[in-house]
Amino acid sequence: MIPKALVHSERAAAHRSSALSDPLYLLAFDLGTTAAKTCLYQVGERLVLLAATSRRLSLDTGADGRAEQDPEEWWAALAASIPEVLAAGG
């Protein structure tokens, strides 16, 4: 008779092996002063860039040296970029 703990650990190992064979992806965002960038990577022994997009952001500068951006514009740029990179990445 095989101990239950051994059967459980073998099943867990088989599950981990199966899960690790499925591709893993990373969706990354870079929100900067001039642009909102979104990248899709496949994760493995190294990162492989599958798709990327960049959307220009407006910057409101005043004579007093202030600089302002609209967070709604950030959100819209990032939200619009997600389906774009997912479609381009296959």
Side-chain angles (χ1 to χ4, degrees):
M1 179 175 208
I2 300 173
K4 283 186 177 182
L6 182 58
V7 171
H8 177 70
S9 67
E10 287 178 0
R11 284 186 189 149
H15 177 69
R16 277 194 306 274
S17 175
S18 171
L20 292 175
S21 66
D22 292 337
L24 297 174
Y25 298 95
L26 172 68
L27 189 59
F29 303 100
D30 178 7
L31 185 57
T33 306
T34 60
K37 296 169 238 132
T38 303
C39 297
L40 177 65
Y41 295 93
Q42 185 169 0
V43 179
E45 288 185 27
R46 59 188 190 94
L47 291 177
V48 177
L49 179 63
L50 300 176
T53 186
S54 179
R55 295 178 183 271
R56 218 146 154 78
L57 298 172
S58 59
L59 181 65
D60 180 26
T61 56
D64 59 355
R66 68 173 170 76
E68 295 181 356
Q69 288 184 297
D70 180 5
E72 298 276 336
E73 185 183 9
W74 301 340
W75 181 251
L78 292 176
S81 71
I82 294 170
E84 187 178 322
V85 296
L86 292 178

